[in-house]
Amino acid sequence: MLEIWALEGIGEVTPGTDLVGVILEAAGGSLRDGDIVVVTSKIVSKAEGRILHADDREDAITRETVRLVASRTSPAGHVTRIVENRLGIVSAAAGVDASNTPEGTVLLLPVDPDASARRIAEGLRSVARVGVIITDTLGRAWREGQTDHAIGAGGIHVFEDLRGTSDAEGRPLVVTLPCVADEIAAATDLVKGKASRRPVAIVRGRADLVGDLDLPGARSIVRDPERDMFRQGADEAYAEGFATGRAACD
């Protein structure tokens, strides 16, 4: 049976906050071996001092961007940029967050979410052998709305490799590789919520996913560029192809 619940009583996190201590206090001795602790990236960023004084969020997005994938301007003049950030994550606004931060500041993603997850997991393992996932809210290509994804992981298998096994009809599974870290991240968002001040959730019932701290982290979820079939937005790809064709004809 799978159980998921959010921890209550976690107050405002500021630079230098001991997240391990905060989580242990909120858990109240309830952590068990095999639990998965899911932490919203916002509080990790705050604890690590990833707060940037910036009146213009767009400037912060530009600083965090390594590649523009697509850009659109709405009739009202609002610009939406889908970019690859320095972590390799493709998302809107490079993960720069202006919500629930002091006026005149924005929040950047952790420098190394996998390292952050491993540190938290190592600290929590003084009490119980747990895995840790750090999440952020992302959109999805071809689908409306957003859901939480894993951007950091420590002490947990991020994939459940079913390749080489068989389905219920006995047919071999060739490419089936569920990203369980993303599935868990999305599930915990149902209990954490976006404005309820419950940034940490516990998942119990998948102890099989908890492993050594040196397991590959969430960075391994990011698809290698040479296997990425959608590296540009449709309009951007068309414009590049058109320009290349024109240059060849000149």
Side-chain angles (χ1 to χ4, degrees), residues 33-67:
D33 290 347
D35 285 350
I36 300 169
V37 180
V38 184
V39 184
T40 302
S41 62
K42 186 183 293 287
I43 67 167
V44 179
S45 293
K46 287 183 175 181
E48 295 180 356
R50 295 287 290 159
I51 302 169
L52 179 68
H53 291 275
D55 293 325
D56 188 349
R57 181 174 178 241
E58 294 301 317
D59 286 344
I61 294 170
T62 299
R63 287 194 237 177
E64 291 291 291
T65 295
V66 298
R67 178 174 64 90

Side-chain angles (χ1 to χ4, degrees), residues 99-243:
S99 63
N100 295 317
T101 61
E103 190 67 29
T105 66
V106 294
L107 203 60
L108 309 181
L109 292 176
V111 172
D112 186 343
D114 284 332
S116 300
R118 287 192 296 269
R119 283 194 297 269
I120 295 171
E122 185 176 22
L124 296 177
R125 286 189 178 194
S126 64
V127 171
R129 190 172 187 267
V130 303
V132 170
I133 293 174
I134 295 174
T135 68
D136 192 36
T137 303
L138 305 175
R140 288 90 34 86
W142 308 297
R143 302 180 72 85
E144 296 289 351
Q146 302 83 31
T147 186
D148 271 19
H149 292 67
I151 66 165
I156 185 170
H157 295 275
V158 296
F159 296 109
E160 187 170 24
D161 195 348
L162 301 180
R163 295 171 296 184
T165 64
S166 300
D167 66 12
E169 303 298 326
R171 290 184 290 265
L173 299 175
V174 179
V175 297
T176 307
L177 187 69
C179 184
V180 287
D182 279 350
E183 292 176 332
I184 290 170
T188 58
D189 194 39
L190 295 172
V191 298
K192 287 190 296 179
K194 297 300 181 192
S196 58
R197 295 190 180 276
R198 294 187 294 185
V200 179
I202 309 299
V203 176
R204 180 168 294 164
R206 289 305 309 262
D208 58 302
L209 298 176
V210 176
D212 295 337
L213 291 176
D214 61 355
L215 284 169
R219 187 65 185 250
S220 66
I221 300 171
V222 177
R223 181 164 288 162
D224 293 334
E226 59 268 22
R227 296 192 297 112
D228 184 355
M229 298 171 66
F230 308 99
R231 284 186 59 78
Q232 288 180 297
D235 290 353
E236 286 75 15
Y238 176 86
E240 182 178 306
F242 183 82

